[in-house]
């Protein structure tokens, strides 16, 4: 199965999720940047509330795209098995770099409010795809610590390894495709354009304007 784009994947996920979470006012959290447009579509379809969950992968020193772990907004770190072979000094520097990115993004994305509190909420965490699972694991653990009522992962595609890990970390997993061979998330989308910080800021600002108008 090849998705036309993220929008198609988001609408398919929304259809799956609607049977359980429509009109239950879930908190739908997108992992920036690619998943935020998807999270907006899903939140609108379910009658939910949109926000972002800020986590960053820690890249391997010689293969930056390979995650050796991830860090959340509070500075807590989840390490993958790859991390134990890597110099501690590099890991500390990488943590500082990625935490700075997270803080800058929070200041850009929601400058006038704190993150929406997930306590006692149905929380749906959205991503376009999960390769190693490090980033999503960090996101789920950060949210779990804040006591949601239910924690759900919604993703277009995941490796078999990541899907197994997500079933352990979340209360429910909705995944459209778990391929036998997984090399990169982009291979499962015909169009997989970059989503910019400006795109995310616009989506969140539009959502907040709608909420303010309704309120």
């Amino acid at each position: 199965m090849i998705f036309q784009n993220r929008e198609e994947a988001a609408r398919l996920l929304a259809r799956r999720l609607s049977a359980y979470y429509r009109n239950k006012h879930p908190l739908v959290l997108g992992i920036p940047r690619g998943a935020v447009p998807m999270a907006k579509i899903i939140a609108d379809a379910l009658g939910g509330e949109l926000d972002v969950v800020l986590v960053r992968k820690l890249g391997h020193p010689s293969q930056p795209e390979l995650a050796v772990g991830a860090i959340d907004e509070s500075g807590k770190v989840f390490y993958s098995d790859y991390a134990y072979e890597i110099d501690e000094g590099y890991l500390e520097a990488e943590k500082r770099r990625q935490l700075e990115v997270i803080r800058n993004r929070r200041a850009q994305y929601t400058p006038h409010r704190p993150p929406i509190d997930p306590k006692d909420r149905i929380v749906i965490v959205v991503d376009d795809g999960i390769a190693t699972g490090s980033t999503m694991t960090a996101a789920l653990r950060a949210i779990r610590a804040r006591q949601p009522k239910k924690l759900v992962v919604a993703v277009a595609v995941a490796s078999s390894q990541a899907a197994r890990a997500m079933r352990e970390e979340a209360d429910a997993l909705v995944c459209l495709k778990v391929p036998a061979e997984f090399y990169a998330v982009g291979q499962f989308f015909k169009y997989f354009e970059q989503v910019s910080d400006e795109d995310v800021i616009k989506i969140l600002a539009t959502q907040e304007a709608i909420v303010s108008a309704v309120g």
Side-chain angles (χ1 to χ4, degrees):
M1 180 181 190
I2 302 295
F3 304 106
Q4 184 74 8
N5 49 32
R6 290 186 180 92
E7 180 178 348
E8 181 190 31
R11 296 197 184 285
L12 290 170
L13 284 169
R15 195 176 304 164
R16 294 262 192 103
L17 292 160
S18 288
Y20 305 99
Y21 308 113
R22 183 175 172 79
N23 296 326
K24 293 187 177 180
H25 196 53
L27 174 58
V28 183
L29 302 177
I31 295 181
R33 291 182 298 242
V36 176
M38 294 178 63
K40 173 71 164 69
I41 290 169
I42 291 169
D44 288 348
L46 301 181
E49 192 171 12
L50 175 69
D51 202 357
V52 291
V53 54
L54 297 181
V55 290
R56 291 282 294 177
K57 72 179 179 184
L58 305 177
H60 190 283
S62 60
Q63 301 178 63
E65 290 304 310
L66 175 63
V68 298
I71 188 167
D72 70 18
E73 198 163 357
S74 72
K76 291 182 180 177
V77 178
F78 165 77
Y79 287 115
S80 70
D81 294 339
Y82 302 107
Y84 300 103
E85 305 169 357
I86 295 172
D87 176 71
E88 189 173 332
Y90 167 83
L91 289 174
E92 287 300 318
E94 179 71 350
K95 285 191 289 184
R96 287 194 298 272
R97 282 193 294 270
Q98 299 306 337
L99 190 56
E100 184 66 18
V101 172
I102 288 174
R103 288 170 177 164
N104 288 338
R105 281 188 172 176
R106 178 57 71 186
Q108 286 181 287
Y109 291 172
T110 58
H112 306 300
R113 65 163 176 83
I116 297 172
D117 189 359
K119 183 176 173 62
D120 296 327
R121 301 281 301 270
I122 296 170
V123 180
I124 302 171
V125 186
V126 180
D127 207 353
D128 44 25
I130 308 176
T132 66
S134 295
T135 302
M136 182 61 83
T137 297
L140 294 174
R141 291 182 181 180
I143 298 161
R144 181 76 76 188
R146 299 179 67 186
Q147 301 177 314
K149 179 180 179 181
K150 186 173 185 179
L151 189 53
V152 181
V153 173
V155 62
V157 60
S159 68
S160 57
Q161 168 197 345
R164 285 193 300 271
M166 294 309 101
R167 289 187 180 100
E168 294 180 4
E169 295 287 342
D171 299 315
L173 169 67
V174 178
C175 181
L176 301 174
K177 183 177 180 63
V178 182
E181 295 186 1
F182 188 111
Y183 302 106
V185 174
Q187 78 184 90
F188 301 100
F189 291 81
K190 185 175 181 181
Y191 298 103
F192 196 63
E193 294 92 349
Q194 290 283 345
V195 176
S196 69
D197 283 327
E198 290 73 22
D199 293 330
V200 174
I201 291 165
K202 183 177 180 180
I203 289 168
L204 293 174
T206 301
Q207 182 75 10
E208 289 180 20
I210 292 170
V211 171
S212 297
V214 172

